[in-house]
């Protein structure tokens, strides 16, 4: 996390009265987080290893879907992701009801033309996020995580079948069935863990290292979440 910088504001009086000492400090605006670009192996090495615990987890502790990036558009986060990821734009009716359009589910390389057959997958599932550090967050941060559209990797439109096969598994036990998707997936998984300051368990870390060796040209892009 980026720490707030504090800049002292010093008042200097040049009148006949005694020198006035500063009595308050003014906080400078928080600098935006810097985007990071790393090769996959180096990115994997940055993710801390820790034991996981699911104690206390329930899905409703991550409020979603909320009103999305634009509360005025009438679309929730799910619909906004579908609109952003469409390869052919759907029609949008009242209440942000989508019809038509086309999407490519990269997990299984399937083209989908019915938005009802797509799920919006959390790249790092909510339960896995809880296990890996989100249990210590407040409700506002968990909601921000569950609706994160500020990073392209965080939420992805995929076939309902693959999303449900994946469930809450990490790369030690599940990978996308399309072979060409796997290096991208590992890169986006790692980027999401780094973006949100999440940890990995030992089995997950071992799996990531194996895939990083096979995906040596994969580059990880991430910006730490505020």
């Amino acid at each position: 996390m980026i720490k707030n910088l504090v800049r002292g504001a010093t008042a200097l009086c040049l009148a006949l009265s005694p020198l006035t000492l500063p009595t308050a400090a003014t906080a400078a605006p928080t600098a935006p987080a810097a985007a990071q670009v790393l090769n996959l192996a180096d990115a994997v090495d940055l993710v801390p290893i820790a034991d996981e615990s699911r104690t206390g987890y329930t899905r409703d502790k991550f409020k979603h879907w909320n009103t999305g990036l634009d509360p005025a558009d009438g679309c929730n986060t799910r619909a906004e992701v579908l609109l952003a990821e469409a390869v052919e734009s759907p029609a949008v009716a009242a209440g942000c009801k989508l019809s038509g359009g086309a999407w490519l589910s990269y997990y299984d390389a399937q083209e989908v033309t019915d938005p009802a057959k797509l799920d919006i997958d959390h790249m790092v599932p909510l339960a896995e996020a809880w296990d890996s550090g989100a249990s210590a967050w407040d409700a506002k941060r968990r909601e921000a995580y569950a609706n994160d559209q500020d990073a392209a990797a965080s939420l992805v439109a995929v076939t309902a079948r693959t999303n449900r096969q994946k469930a809450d598994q990490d790369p030690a036990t599940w990978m996308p069935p399309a072979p060409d998707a796997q290096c991208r997936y590992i890169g986006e998984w790692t980027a999401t863990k780094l973006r949100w300051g999440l940890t990995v368990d030992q089995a997950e870390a071992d799996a990531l290292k194996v895939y990083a060796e096979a995906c040596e040209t994969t580059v990880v892009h991430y910006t730490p979440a505020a």
Side-chain angles (χ1 to χ4, degrees), residues 23-204:
T23 58
T26 303
T30 302
Q36 305 294 315
V37 181
L38 301 165
N39 67 52
L40 178 56
D42 288 342
V44 167
D45 285 342
L46 286 180
V47 187
I49 299 174
D51 292 336
E52 294 185 349
S53 173
R54 195 156 298 183
T55 302
Y57 170 74
T58 58
R59 189 172 175 83
D60 60 9
K61 289 183 178 177
F62 293 80
K63 181 182 177 182
H64 67 291
W65 305 110
N66 65 17
T67 55
L69 293 177
D70 181 6
D73 67 4
C75 299
N76 64 13
T77 298
R78 169 187 159 81
E80 287 184 354
V81 172
L82 288 173
L83 289 167
E85 295 193 2
V87 294
E88 294 180 15
S89 297
V92 184
C96 201
K97 183 176 181 180
L98 308 183
S99 60
W103 291 262
L104 179 64
S105 168
Y106 92 81
Y107 288 2
D108 50 0
Q110 296 296 306
E111 182 175 300
V112 180
T113 55
D114 180 357
K117 294 182 178 179
L118 291 163
D119 282 354
I120 305 303
D121 182 39
H122 292 93
M123 174 55 60
V124 174
L126 300 181
E128 170 67 21
W130 178 273
D131 298 351
S132 307
S135 60
W137 298 348
D138 62 19
K140 183 177 179 180
R141 187 165 180 82
R142 287 197 289 268
E143 180 180 354
Y145 177 84
N147 296 275
D148 183 17
Q149 293 187 68
D150 291 326
S154 294
L155 300 172
V156 57
V158 296
T159 57
R161 179 181 61 256
T162 53
N163 184 46
R164 292 163 199 183
Q165 287 172 348
K166 173 182 173 179
D168 58 7
Q169 298 179 84
D170 69 35
T173 55
W174 188 89
M175 285 291 288
D180 290 345
Q182 294 186 353
C183 289
R184 174 181 170 182
Y185 183 78
I186 289 294
E188 293 185 348
W189 180 279
T190 304
T192 304
K193 287 267 175 158
L194 289 171
R195 171 169 168 76
W196 288 94
L198 298 171
T199 62
V200 293
D201 63 20
Q202 189 61 61
E204 182 184 349

